[in-house]
Structure formats: C-alpha cells, structure tokens
Amino acid sequence: MFEHQVTEDISLRLVGQKDAEELFAVVDGSREHLREWLPWVDSMTEVDQYGPIIHAWLQQFADEDGFQAGIMYKGHLAGFAGFHTVNYTNRQTSIGYWLAHEYQGKGIMTSVVSSLVDYAFEEYDLHRVEIRCAMGNTKSQAVPERLGFKREGVIRDGEFLYDHYHDLIVYGMLEDEWKKCKKS
C-alpha cells in the first residue's frame, strides 16, 4: 500500500476499506468544523457510505490519476490531502486538503502540501499546481500563501455549499517558481 513520508511525525497513506470506521470517526468528530467549508460533510452520516468512496480513491491511484491519502500524524488519521486529478496533457494538477479540528495549528498541512507539490513536480513531472480556497477560509488560504503560491484570481460563485455559493481564490505554482522558493 502506498505510503509517503512527509516528516518524522507525518505521512500520507492510501486508506483501505478497513479504515472506513476511523475515517468516519475523524469526520464525525470534526463535523461542525469541516462542514463550514466542505460540501460533502452533511451527506456522510454512516460508516458504510465511505466504502464506495474509498474504492474510487484506490481506483484513482491505480489509474495513475493522482491520489487521495490519509494524513497520518503520530500514527493517527488527522485529515486528508491529495490531487483531484492529473492533467498529463497540460502537465498540471490541483491539490485539495482538510484537517480535523484538533490537529490544526501544528504546521501539519503546510508540510503535507509542500510535500505534495514536490511530488507533483518530481514524480509526475508536472509544470503547474493549483489550489483553490474559499474566500472566507483564511486558514486554508494561509497554506498556499506560506508556501509562496501566487494568488491568480477569484472564481465568483465557484462552489455551492449547502444552500449558497461562495467565491474561490485560485492560487498557482509553476515548477520553476517552486524550485526558486525551495532554494530561498
């Protein structure tokens, strides 16, 4: 099973069907926190609902179209991060992520996203990585900003969240820019 070491305490690993209960518990324990920005949280009310999703994530990895991986922090599932899909023709991808409430403020997500950007440029040989964050989600925005991503624009009403639309900020990083950021 795929596992990618990020730091001594943090790794990314594919989840299997055996992880459905733990995944459900993490989401359920941070439901109020997560639902503020993630449109799928309210629809995931039972452990069994994760089975088809986990299968789809494993198929995505098998198809070499990116991956969705559990963020493991000191051996505990803390959240998820991964590539939505990989566009090999245009050599680009986008990264999505979420973290359970109790794991925030430890630098976990910045380390994870930095590692994913490295992975995109080194393993997939891509040219561009994009991150989209909700306009009001300052914690999510802080990750690409800390890593030197350029704010490229706003997609008005870019995502429907339960009963309303919200704007999305688009951040981008090019391979040569990332190499310069890593050197400084």
Side-chain angles (χ1 to χ4, degrees), residues 71-156:
I71 299 169
M72 306 305 294
Y73 179 70
K74 296 184 178 182
H76 299 283
L77 184 63
F80 255 77
F83 303 107
H84 293 119
T85 188
V86 178
N87 179 331
Y88 289 102
T89 302
N90 292 309
R91 296 182 52 217
Q92 59 188 336
T93 190
S94 62
I95 294 174
Y97 47 85
W98 62 265
L99 201 58
H101 189 274
E102 66 265 28
Y103 294 101
Q104 293 194 344
K106 300 176 186 307
I108 296 170
M109 196 56 76
T110 301
S111 294
V112 165
V113 172
S114 177
S115 185
L116 285 172
V117 175
D118 283 341
Y119 197 94
F121 292 139
E122 294 168 12
E123 301 300 321
Y124 290 144
D125 191 31
L126 300 181
H127 175 70
R128 174 183 165 75
V129 174
E130 186 176 288
I131 296 174
R132 295 180 181 192
C133 303
M135 181 69 78
N137 191 343
T138 55
K139 289 182 181 180
S140 187
Q141 293 168 32
V143 173
E145 289 172 2
R146 251 185 242 113
L147 293 173
F149 276 66
K150 292 191 187 318
R151 181 176 168 157
E152 297 179 333
V154 174
I155 300 172
R156 297 176 303 132

